[in-house]
Amino acid sequence: MKPRRGKDQRKQLSQRDWHALEDDPFQARGSKPYAEGKARALASTLPLMDWSLTPPNGVVVSHVGAWAFVYIEGQEFQCVIDERMGDDVATLVAPGDLVRVEFENDQWIVRAVAPRRSKLSRLALRHARVSEQVIAANIDLLVVIASVVQPRFKPGLVDRYLITAEVGGVQPMLCVNKMDLVETEPEEISAYRSLALPVVATSCRTGAGLDELRRQLEGKISVLAGHSGVGKSTIIRSLCPELEIPVAEISASTQKGRHTTTRGYLHVLPGDIRIIDTPGTRELGLTGISREEVKLYFPEIVARATECRFRDCTHTHEPNCAVRAAVESSQIPKLRYDSYLRIRESL
């Protein structure tokens, strides 16, 4: 039987309470919410939601195992996910999802998830229950946070996020953080400015660029993503000091960041700013594209591809390849071409 929740546990929760569920037994693969038997048998009996008659009444703030934390009428509640919603190839709920929640037997229950208009997702880790891990849903803007140093700027990871944004129907922008640690902007950043990609340079120590970033975020649901240690949580805390968000120093020996954000979380800031903070990542597995399609997500390659000798040119080894010629003449940044090759090979 499911444990019954007392009324005191249905009250508004602090933003830190969901961390305590990291070791909750309901997360286990064989636990009641994800039972292999009865839950799967009942999955097909759950009626499809008519959203015109029963509109969403909550938005997911965070997701931990079989539980979702949901804003309902301005309050945050801990909800159990209806076991009959079954398993899918993608994450069942994610921060930003619009859901239908009902109160029954002294607990809130997520009954259905509305169709997503956009998403940020990644290839799930090996042995995961799903093949696609949805990081955030129904977002307008992906802010790719990168640092100039500590840790160093990683164009390959930035490019993967740009592809993920386009696949998920999200507008991307690049935020280059920790500018107080260098005298001039690195030349490699110019490769992204030439793409007509919005780029803002920030420093949480001096405050430079934060006002510009705030203007970009106003009136939108945004997700901040990037390598561990680039300063995502620090940026959010700089935009709204009232939020209690933990931050950590970079390791002096490895120059790598530690995960201070362990689960995606939706923060509501003054000025109609809603930000989903995500755990840092060192790798981002792409989903939804093939090796042959990778070149379509590099606009500078697409622009030159029409001049190649072969229509199906992969721009890797073919003779008379206009793309490789443009790289050799520095008309296409080599770091972007190298990134294309690595991503293509990884798929």
Side-chain angles (χ1 to χ4, degrees):
M1 294 180 62
K2 292 180 182 176
R4 293 174 64 87
R5 302 290 172 181
K7 291 184 179 180
D8 58 327
Q9 290 177 289
R10 293 188 281 107
K11 295 180 180 180
Q12 183 177 4
L13 303 174
S14 71
Q15 292 182 345
R16 290 173 292 177
D17 284 343
W18 59 272
H19 289 287
L21 289 179
E22 294 289 339
D23 298 319
D24 192 284
F26 279 88
Q27 291 187 71
R29 180 73 172 92
S31 62
K32 179 72 170 178
Y34 293 126
E36 295 288 342
K38 185 177 178 180
R40 291 180 183 272
L42 290 175
S44 60
T45 67
L46 188 66
L48 294 176
M49 186 68 68
D50 187 342
W51 294 105
S52 63
L53 300 177
T54 53
N57 60 349
V59 57
V60 175
V61 175
S62 186
H63 170 227
V64 182
W67 302 95
F69 287 78
V70 181
Y71 272 134
I72 308 171
E73 297 181 355
Q75 298 188 67
E76 182 181 324
F77 291 92
Q78 175 183 327
C79 308
V80 66
I81 300 172
D82 194 312
E83 61 188 29
R84 295 174 297 171
M85 291 175 64
D87 293 333
D88 200 354
V89 295
T91 312
L92 199 57
V93 298
D97 266 324
L98 300 177
V99 294
R100 182 68 188 180
V101 179
E102 298 176 355
F103 188 71
E104 183 179 303
N105 296 330
D106 291 334
Q107 68 178 5
W108 290 98
I109 304 174
V110 176
R111 295 296 192 191
V113 182
R116 294 163 174 152
R117 61 179 176 84
S118 63
K119 65 180 179 180
L120 178 68
S121 64
R122 59 176 292 173
L123 190 67
L125 300 177
R126 176 181 283 187
H127 306 309
R129 175 174 69 84
V130 295
S131 60
E132 178 188 13
Q133 179 187 356
V134 180
I135 301 172
N138 302 313
I139 49 179
D140 304 303
L141 182 67
L142 166 62
V143 184
V144 183
I145 308 293
S147 56
V148 287
V149 291
Q150 299 183 8
R152 63 180 177 82
F153 184 77
K154 298 182 181 297
L157 186 59
V158 171
D159 293 333
R160 284 176 174 268
Y161 271 117
L162 296 182
I163 293 175
T164 299
E166 189 166 348
V167 170
V170 182
Q171 174 66 41
M173 69 170 291
L174 176 61
C175 174
V176 185
N177 195 29
K178 303 187 181 182
M179 289 298 297
D180 57 285
L181 300 180
V182 297
E183 294 183 359
T184 58
E185 183 177 281
E187 293 183 5
E188 53 196 352
I189 305 301
S190 63
Y192 295 93
R193 293 189 183 277
S194 65
L195 298 176
L197 176 74
V199 178
V200 57
T202 60
S203 168
C204 295
R205 181 171 298 176
T206 67
L210 292 179
D211 288 340
E212 181 182 352
L213 178 60
R214 185 180 286 106
R215 286 192 293 270
Q216 294 280 356
L217 299 175
E218 289 177 350
K220 300 183 180 74
I221 299 179
S222 306
V223 59
L224 270 57
H227 194 282
S228 303
V230 295
K232 300 183 297 296
S233 297
T234 304
I235 286 176
I236 296 177
R237 197 170 65 174
S238 298
L239 294 173
C240 186
E242 294 80 13
L243 290 177
E244 297 182 5
I245 302 176
V247 296
E249 297 295 330
I250 300 298
S251 169
S253 59
T254 65
Q255 290 298 298
K256 293 180 179 180
R258 290 177 292 169
H259 297 288
T260 54
T261 300
T262 58
R263 300 280 180 175
Y265 196 93
L266 173 63
H267 300 281
V268 180
L269 280 62
D272 193 23
I273 296 175
R274 287 161 290 175
I275 296 178
I276 298 175
D277 189 15
T278 65
T281 182
R282 296 189 178 101
E283 295 181 0
L284 181 66
L286 298 177
T287 180
I289 65 170
S290 67
R291 174 181 291 190
E292 291 71 25
E293 293 173 325
V294 174
K295 58 188 177 184
L296 303 179
Y297 294 89
F298 286 78
E300 62 272 65
I301 291 180
V302 172
R304 290 283 183 171
T306 57
E307 304 172 18
C308 291
R309 178 179 178 181
F310 302 102
R311 292 185 60 184
D312 59 349
C313 185
T314 64
H315 319 304
T316 60
H317 64 279
E318 295 88 348
N320 297 344
C321 174
V323 170
R324 287 191 290 121
V327 174
E328 292 173 1
S329 62
S330 300
Q331 297 179 57
I332 290 180
K334 188 175 185 301
L335 69 87
R336 286 276 290 171
Y337 177 71
D338 290 343
S339 181
Y340 160 71
L341 294 179
R342 287 194 300 270
I343 292 174
R344 186 179 187 279
E345 182 62 27
S346 71
L347 296 175

